[in-house]
Short mmCIF file of all heavy atoms in Angstrom, two decimals:
data_model
loop_
_atom_site.label_atom_id
_atom_site.label_comp_id
_atom_site.label_asym_id
_atom_site.label_seq_id
_atom_site.Cartn_x
_atom_site.Cartn_y
_atom_site.Cartn_z
N LYS A 1 34.22 8.88 -6.33
CA LYS A 1 32.83 8.45 -6.38
C LYS A 1 32.73 6.94 -6.13
O LYS A 1 31.83 6.48 -5.43
CB LYS A 1 32.21 8.81 -7.73
CG LYS A 1 32.01 10.29 -7.93
CD LYS A 1 31.41 10.57 -9.30
CE LYS A 1 31.28 12.06 -9.52
NZ LYS A 1 30.77 12.37 -10.86
N PHE A 2 33.67 6.21 -6.70
CA PHE A 2 33.68 4.76 -6.51
C PHE A 2 33.88 4.42 -5.03
O PHE A 2 33.19 3.57 -4.49
CB PHE A 2 34.79 4.13 -7.37
CG PHE A 2 34.97 2.67 -7.14
CD1 PHE A 2 34.04 1.77 -7.63
CD2 PHE A 2 36.05 2.18 -6.42
CE1 PHE A 2 34.19 0.41 -7.42
CE2 PHE A 2 36.21 0.84 -6.21
CZ PHE A 2 35.27 -0.06 -6.70
N PHE A 3 34.84 5.10 -4.37
CA PHE A 3 35.09 4.84 -2.95
C PHE A 3 33.88 5.22 -2.09
O PHE A 3 33.57 4.53 -1.11
CB PHE A 3 36.33 5.61 -2.46
CG PHE A 3 37.62 4.91 -2.79
CD1 PHE A 3 38.53 5.46 -3.68
CD2 PHE A 3 37.93 3.70 -2.19
CE1 PHE A 3 39.71 4.82 -3.98
CE2 PHE A 3 39.11 3.06 -2.48
CZ PHE A 3 40.01 3.61 -3.39
N LYS A 4 33.18 6.28 -2.45
CA LYS A 4 32.01 6.69 -1.68
C LYS A 4 30.87 5.66 -1.81
O LYS A 4 30.14 5.42 -0.85
CB LYS A 4 31.55 8.08 -2.09
CG LYS A 4 32.50 9.14 -1.58
CD LYS A 4 32.00 10.52 -1.82
CE LYS A 4 33.06 11.48 -1.26
NZ LYS A 4 32.63 12.85 -1.29
N ILE A 5 30.76 5.06 -2.97
CA ILE A 5 29.76 4.01 -3.14
C ILE A 5 30.11 2.81 -2.27
O ILE A 5 29.25 2.22 -1.61
CB ILE A 5 29.63 3.60 -4.63
CG1 ILE A 5 28.98 4.74 -5.43
CG2 ILE A 5 28.82 2.31 -4.78
CD1 ILE A 5 28.97 4.53 -6.92
N ILE A 6 31.40 2.46 -2.24
CA ILE A 6 31.85 1.35 -1.39
C ILE A 6 31.59 1.67 0.08
O ILE A 6 31.12 0.82 0.85
CB ILE A 6 33.34 1.04 -1.63
CG1 ILE A 6 33.58 0.61 -3.08
CG2 ILE A 6 33.86 0.00 -0.66
CD1 ILE A 6 32.89 -0.66 -3.48
N LEU A 7 31.87 2.91 0.50
CA LEU A 7 31.62 3.30 1.88
C LEU A 7 30.13 3.26 2.23
O LEU A 7 29.75 2.84 3.33
CB LEU A 7 32.19 4.70 2.15
CG LEU A 7 33.70 4.81 2.30
CD1 LEU A 7 34.12 6.27 2.40
CD2 LEU A 7 34.17 4.03 3.50
N ALA A 8 29.31 3.69 1.30
CA ALA A 8 27.86 3.66 1.54
C ALA A 8 27.37 2.22 1.71
O ALA A 8 26.55 1.93 2.59
CB ALA A 8 27.12 4.34 0.38
N ALA A 9 27.88 1.31 0.88
CA ALA A 9 27.52 -0.10 1.02
C ALA A 9 28.01 -0.65 2.36
O ALA A 9 27.30 -1.42 3.03
CB ALA A 9 28.10 -0.91 -0.13
N PHE A 10 29.21 -0.24 2.77
CA PHE A 10 29.76 -0.67 4.05
C PHE A 10 28.88 -0.20 5.21
O PHE A 10 28.58 -0.95 6.14
CB PHE A 10 31.20 -0.13 4.18
CG PHE A 10 31.86 -0.44 5.48
CD1 PHE A 10 32.17 -1.74 5.84
CD2 PHE A 10 32.19 0.58 6.36
CE1 PHE A 10 32.80 -2.02 7.04
CE2 PHE A 10 32.81 0.32 7.56
CZ PHE A 10 33.11 -1.00 7.90
N ILE A 11 28.45 1.04 5.16
CA ILE A 11 27.58 1.59 6.21
C ILE A 11 26.24 0.86 6.21
O ILE A 11 25.72 0.48 7.27
CB ILE A 11 27.38 3.11 6.01
CG1 ILE A 11 28.70 3.84 6.27
CG2 ILE A 11 26.29 3.64 6.93
CD1 ILE A 11 28.68 5.30 5.86
N PHE A 12 25.69 0.64 5.03
CA PHE A 12 24.42 -0.06 4.93
C PHE A 12 24.51 -1.46 5.53
O PHE A 12 23.64 -1.88 6.30
CB PHE A 12 23.99 -0.13 3.46
CG PHE A 12 22.69 -0.83 3.24
CD1 PHE A 12 21.49 -0.25 3.62
CD2 PHE A 12 22.66 -2.09 2.66
CE1 PHE A 12 20.28 -0.90 3.42
CE2 PHE A 12 21.46 -2.75 2.46
CZ PHE A 12 20.28 -2.15 2.84
N LEU A 13 25.56 -2.18 5.21
CA LEU A 13 25.74 -3.52 5.75
C LEU A 13 25.95 -3.50 7.26
O LEU A 13 25.51 -4.42 7.96
CB LEU A 13 26.90 -4.23 5.06
CG LEU A 13 26.64 -4.64 3.61
CD1 LEU A 13 27.92 -5.22 3.00
CD2 LEU A 13 25.51 -5.64 3.54
N SER A 14 26.59 -2.46 7.76
CA SER A 14 26.80 -2.39 9.22
C SER A 14 25.48 -2.18 9.96
O SER A 14 25.35 -2.56 11.11
CB SER A 14 27.78 -1.27 9.57
OG SER A 14 27.18 -0.01 9.40
N PHE A 15 24.50 -1.60 9.30
CA PHE A 15 23.18 -1.45 9.91
C PHE A 15 22.42 -2.77 9.92
O PHE A 15 21.72 -3.09 10.87
CB PHE A 15 22.34 -0.41 9.15
CG PHE A 15 22.59 1.00 9.57
CD1 PHE A 15 23.51 1.78 8.90
CD2 PHE A 15 21.90 1.56 10.62
CE1 PHE A 15 23.73 3.09 9.28
CE2 PHE A 15 22.11 2.86 11.01
CZ PHE A 15 23.05 3.63 10.34
N ILE A 16 22.56 -3.55 8.85
CA ILE A 16 21.76 -4.74 8.70
C ILE A 16 22.40 -5.99 9.32
O ILE A 16 21.72 -6.83 9.88
CB ILE A 16 21.46 -4.98 7.21
CG1 ILE A 16 20.57 -3.86 6.72
CG2 ILE A 16 20.82 -6.32 6.97
CD1 ILE A 16 20.18 -3.94 5.30
N TYR A 17 23.71 -6.12 9.25
CA TYR A 17 24.37 -7.34 9.69
C TYR A 17 24.08 -7.71 11.15
O TYR A 17 23.81 -8.88 11.42
CB TYR A 17 25.89 -7.24 9.46
CG TYR A 17 26.60 -8.53 9.78
CD1 TYR A 17 26.48 -9.62 8.92
CD2 TYR A 17 27.33 -8.68 10.95
CE1 TYR A 17 27.11 -10.81 9.21
CE2 TYR A 17 27.96 -9.87 11.25
CZ TYR A 17 27.85 -10.93 10.37
OH TYR A 17 28.46 -12.12 10.67
N PRO A 18 24.09 -6.79 12.10
CA PRO A 18 23.76 -7.19 13.48
C PRO A 18 22.36 -7.77 13.63
O PRO A 18 22.12 -8.58 14.51
CB PRO A 18 23.90 -5.89 14.28
CG PRO A 18 24.81 -5.05 13.48
CD PRO A 18 24.53 -5.39 12.05
N LEU A 19 21.43 -7.37 12.78
CA LEU A 19 20.08 -7.91 12.85
C LEU A 19 20.06 -9.40 12.50
O LEU A 19 19.27 -10.16 13.04
CB LEU A 19 19.14 -7.15 11.92
CG LEU A 19 18.87 -5.70 12.29
CD1 LEU A 19 18.01 -5.06 11.21
CD2 LEU A 19 18.20 -5.59 13.63
N LYS A 20 20.96 -9.79 11.62
CA LYS A 20 21.02 -11.19 11.21
C LYS A 20 21.47 -12.08 12.36
O LYS A 20 20.94 -13.18 12.54
CB LYS A 20 21.99 -11.34 10.03
CG LYS A 20 22.09 -12.74 9.53
CD LYS A 20 23.08 -12.87 8.41
CE LYS A 20 23.19 -14.32 8.00
NZ LYS A 20 24.44 -14.64 7.42
N SER A 21 22.42 -11.62 13.14
CA SER A 21 22.95 -12.45 14.22
C SER A 21 22.16 -12.30 15.52
O SER A 21 22.44 -13.00 16.49
CB SER A 21 24.41 -12.09 14.47
OG SER A 21 24.52 -10.74 14.89
N SER A 22 21.18 -11.42 15.54
CA SER A 22 20.39 -11.21 16.77
C SER A 22 19.32 -12.28 16.91
O SER A 22 19.09 -13.10 16.03
CB SER A 22 19.74 -9.84 16.76
OG SER A 22 18.69 -9.82 15.82
N GLU A 23 18.64 -12.24 18.03
CA GLU A 23 17.57 -13.19 18.29
C GLU A 23 16.22 -12.62 17.86
O GLU A 23 15.19 -13.20 18.15
CB GLU A 23 17.54 -13.54 19.78
CG GLU A 23 18.78 -14.27 20.22
CD GLU A 23 18.78 -14.54 21.71
OE1 GLU A 23 17.75 -14.32 22.38
OE2 GLU A 23 19.82 -14.98 22.21
N ILE A 24 16.25 -11.50 17.18
CA ILE A 24 15.01 -10.87 16.71
C ILE A 24 14.50 -11.65 15.50
O ILE A 24 15.26 -11.92 14.57
CB ILE A 24 15.24 -9.40 16.34
CG1 ILE A 24 15.69 -8.61 17.57
CG2 ILE A 24 13.99 -8.79 15.74
CD1 ILE A 24 16.08 -7.19 17.26
N ASP A 25 13.24 -11.99 15.52
CA ASP A 25 12.64 -12.72 14.41
C ASP A 25 12.21 -11.72 13.35
O ASP A 25 11.29 -10.92 13.55
CB ASP A 25 11.43 -13.51 14.92
CG ASP A 25 10.82 -14.37 13.83
OD1 ASP A 25 11.50 -14.63 12.82
OD2 ASP A 25 9.66 -14.79 14.01
N LEU A 26 12.88 -11.77 12.21
CA LEU A 26 12.59 -10.82 11.13
C LEU A 26 11.80 -11.45 9.99
O LEU A 26 11.68 -10.87 8.93
CB LEU A 26 13.90 -10.25 10.57
CG LEU A 26 14.72 -9.42 11.54
CD1 LEU A 26 16.03 -9.00 10.89
CD2 LEU A 26 13.95 -8.20 11.98
N THR A 27 11.24 -12.63 10.22
CA THR A 27 10.45 -13.26 9.17
C THR A 27 9.05 -12.66 9.16
O THR A 27 8.48 -12.34 10.19
CB THR A 27 10.34 -14.78 9.40
OG1 THR A 27 9.77 -15.02 10.68
CG2 THR A 27 11.70 -15.44 9.32
N PHE A 28 8.54 -12.51 7.98
CA PHE A 28 7.20 -11.97 7.82
C PHE A 28 6.20 -13.11 7.86
O PHE A 28 6.46 -14.19 7.34
CB PHE A 28 7.07 -11.21 6.49
CG PHE A 28 7.89 -9.97 6.45
CD1 PHE A 28 9.06 -9.92 5.70
CD2 PHE A 28 7.51 -8.85 7.16
CE1 PHE A 28 9.82 -8.77 5.67
CE2 PHE A 28 8.26 -7.70 7.12
CZ PHE A 28 9.43 -7.66 6.38
N PRO A 29 5.05 -12.88 8.46
CA PRO A 29 4.05 -13.94 8.50
C PRO A 29 3.52 -14.23 7.09
O PRO A 29 3.41 -13.33 6.26
CB PRO A 29 2.95 -13.38 9.40
CG PRO A 29 3.13 -11.91 9.35
CD PRO A 29 4.59 -11.67 9.11
N GLU A 30 3.23 -15.49 6.86
CA GLU A 30 2.67 -15.86 5.57
C GLU A 30 1.19 -15.51 5.55
O GLU A 30 0.52 -15.59 6.57
CB GLU A 30 2.84 -17.36 5.33
CG GLU A 30 4.28 -17.78 5.16
CD GLU A 30 4.40 -19.26 4.85
OE1 GLU A 30 3.43 -19.84 4.31
OE2 GLU A 30 5.46 -19.81 5.13
N PHE A 31 0.73 -15.10 4.41
CA PHE A 31 -0.70 -14.83 4.29
C PHE A 31 -1.19 -15.43 3.00
O PHE A 31 -0.46 -15.59 2.03
CB PHE A 31 -1.00 -13.32 4.34
CG PHE A 31 -0.46 -12.56 3.17
CD1 PHE A 31 -1.25 -12.30 2.07
CD2 PHE A 31 0.84 -12.07 3.18
CE1 PHE A 31 -0.76 -11.60 1.00
CE2 PHE A 31 1.34 -11.36 2.11
CZ PHE A 31 0.54 -11.13 1.02
N ASN A 32 -2.43 -15.76 3.04
CA ASN A 32 -3.08 -16.39 1.91
C ASN A 32 -4.12 -15.41 1.37
O ASN A 32 -4.95 -14.92 2.12
CB ASN A 32 -3.73 -17.70 2.37
CG ASN A 32 -4.25 -18.51 1.21
OD1 ASN A 32 -4.37 -18.03 0.10
ND2 ASN A 32 -4.57 -19.77 1.49
N ILE A 33 -4.07 -15.16 0.09
CA ILE A 33 -4.97 -14.18 -0.51
C ILE A 33 -6.43 -14.60 -0.35
O ILE A 33 -7.32 -13.76 -0.19
CB ILE A 33 -4.62 -13.91 -1.99
CG1 ILE A 33 -5.33 -12.65 -2.51
CG2 ILE A 33 -4.93 -15.09 -2.85
CD1 ILE A 33 -4.78 -11.39 -1.95
N SER A 34 -6.70 -15.90 -0.35
CA SER A 34 -8.09 -16.35 -0.19
C SER A 34 -8.59 -16.06 1.23
O SER A 34 -9.77 -15.77 1.42
CB SER A 34 -8.22 -17.83 -0.51
OG SER A 34 -7.48 -18.61 0.40
N ASP A 35 -7.69 -16.12 2.24
CA ASP A 35 -8.10 -15.75 3.60
C ASP A 35 -8.47 -14.28 3.68
O ASP A 35 -9.44 -13.91 4.33
CB ASP A 35 -6.97 -16.04 4.60
CG ASP A 35 -6.74 -17.53 4.81
OD1 ASP A 35 -7.66 -18.32 4.49
OD2 ASP A 35 -5.65 -17.88 5.30
N ILE A 36 -7.71 -13.45 3.00
CA ILE A 36 -8.00 -12.02 2.98
C ILE A 36 -9.34 -11.77 2.29
O ILE A 36 -10.16 -10.99 2.77
CB ILE A 36 -6.86 -11.25 2.28
CG1 ILE A 36 -5.59 -11.34 3.12
CG2 ILE A 36 -7.25 -9.79 2.04
CD1 ILE A 36 -4.37 -10.79 2.46
N GLU A 37 -9.57 -12.44 1.18
CA GLU A 37 -10.83 -12.27 0.47
C GLU A 37 -12.01 -12.76 1.31
O GLU A 37 -13.07 -12.13 1.32
CB GLU A 37 -10.78 -13.00 -0.87
CG GLU A 37 -9.87 -12.34 -1.88
CD GLU A 37 -9.69 -13.17 -3.15
OE1 GLU A 37 -10.16 -14.33 -3.19
OE2 GLU A 37 -9.08 -12.64 -4.08
N ASN A 38 -11.83 -13.88 2.03
CA ASN A 38 -12.91 -14.38 2.89
C ASN A 38 -13.21 -13.41 4.02
O ASN A 38 -14.37 -13.16 4.34
CB ASN A 38 -12.54 -15.75 3.46
CG ASN A 38 -12.65 -16.85 2.44
OD1 ASN A 38 -13.31 -16.71 1.42
ND2 ASN A 38 -11.96 -17.95 2.68
N ASN A 39 -12.15 -12.86 4.64
CA ASN A 39 -12.35 -11.88 5.71
C ASN A 39 -13.05 -10.64 5.18
O ASN A 39 -13.93 -10.07 5.85
CB ASN A 39 -11.02 -11.51 6.35
CG ASN A 39 -10.46 -12.64 7.18
OD1 ASN A 39 -11.17 -13.55 7.57
ND2 ASN A 39 -9.17 -12.58 7.45
N GLN A 40 -12.65 -10.21 4.00
CA GLN A 40 -13.27 -9.03 3.39
C GLN A 40 -14.74 -9.32 3.07
O GLN A 40 -15.61 -8.50 3.33
CB GLN A 40 -12.49 -8.68 2.13
CG GLN A 40 -12.78 -7.34 1.56
CD GLN A 40 -11.86 -7.02 0.40
OE1 GLN A 40 -11.45 -7.90 -0.34
NE2 GLN A 40 -11.54 -5.76 0.24
N ASN A 41 -15.00 -10.50 2.54
CA ASN A 41 -16.37 -10.88 2.21
C ASN A 41 -17.23 -10.94 3.47
O ASN A 41 -18.37 -10.47 3.48
CB ASN A 41 -16.36 -12.24 1.49
CG ASN A 41 -17.59 -12.46 0.65
OD1 ASN A 41 -18.29 -11.52 0.32
ND2 ASN A 41 -17.84 -13.70 0.31
N ASN A 42 -16.67 -11.50 4.56
CA ASN A 42 -17.41 -11.57 5.83
C ASN A 42 -17.68 -10.18 6.40
O ASN A 42 -18.73 -9.93 6.97
CB ASN A 42 -16.66 -12.42 6.84
CG ASN A 42 -16.70 -13.89 6.50
OD1 ASN A 42 -17.59 -14.35 5.78
ND2 ASN A 42 -15.74 -14.65 7.00
N ALA A 43 -16.72 -9.28 6.24
CA ALA A 43 -16.90 -7.91 6.74
C ALA A 43 -18.02 -7.21 5.97
O ALA A 43 -18.87 -6.53 6.58
CB ALA A 43 -15.60 -7.12 6.60
N TYR A 44 -18.05 -7.37 4.65
CA TYR A 44 -19.12 -6.75 3.87
C TYR A 44 -20.47 -7.40 4.17
O TYR A 44 -21.49 -6.72 4.23
CB TYR A 44 -18.82 -6.83 2.37
CG TYR A 44 -17.69 -5.94 1.95
CD1 TYR A 44 -16.61 -6.42 1.21
CD2 TYR A 44 -17.67 -4.59 2.30
CE1 TYR A 44 -15.57 -5.59 0.83
CE2 TYR A 44 -16.64 -3.77 1.94
CZ TYR A 44 -15.59 -4.27 1.19
OH TYR A 44 -14.57 -3.45 0.83
N LYS A 45 -20.47 -8.71 4.37
CA LYS A 45 -21.70 -9.41 4.72
C LYS A 45 -22.25 -8.87 6.04
O LYS A 45 -23.44 -8.59 6.16
CB LYS A 45 -21.42 -10.91 4.82
CG LYS A 45 -22.61 -11.73 5.18
CD LYS A 45 -22.24 -13.21 5.23
CE LYS A 45 -23.43 -14.02 5.69
NZ LYS A 45 -23.15 -15.45 5.71
N SER A 46 -21.37 -8.71 7.01
CA SER A 46 -21.78 -8.18 8.31
C SER A 46 -22.30 -6.75 8.18
O SER A 46 -23.28 -6.38 8.81
CB SER A 46 -20.60 -8.23 9.28
OG SER A 46 -20.92 -7.66 10.50
N ALA A 47 -21.65 -5.95 7.35
CA ALA A 47 -22.08 -4.56 7.16
C ALA A 47 -23.47 -4.50 6.52
O ALA A 47 -24.31 -3.68 6.92
CB ALA A 47 -21.06 -3.81 6.30
N VAL A 48 -23.72 -5.35 5.55
CA VAL A 48 -25.02 -5.37 4.89
C VAL A 48 -26.09 -5.80 5.88
O VAL A 48 -27.17 -5.19 5.97
CB VAL A 48 -25.00 -6.29 3.64
CG1 VAL A 48 -26.40 -6.57 3.13
CG2 VAL A 48 -24.15 -5.67 2.55
#
């Protein structure tokens, strides 16, 4: 069971590690909760 856990971690890392060295941008955009609230408020204002 211990070896299978180690193998599972090894497989998991083999899936993720190439993404780290690639040129793919994996950063998530930052968002501000007040921007979301303003957009939501504007949408409701427009609907009314």
Side-chain angles (χ1 to χ4, degrees):
K1 290 179 183 177
F2 175 74
F3 278 114
K4 287 187 180 186
I5 290 172
I6 298 297
L7 285 174
F10 177 66
I11 292 170
F12 180 71
L13 288 175
S14 73
F15 276 94
I16 294 180
Y17 185 74
L19 293 176
K20 181 182 177 206
S21 63
S22 72
E23 295 177 9
I24 298 173
D25 184 18
L26 296 176
T27 58
F28 293 106
E30 293 183 25
F31 67 94
N32 189 346
I33 194 71
S34 64
D35 290 341
I36 293 172
E37 289 173 352
N38 286 340
N39 289 341
Q40 194 174 33
N41 203 18
N42 288 337
Y44 290 128
K45 180 179 176 178
S46 176
V48 167

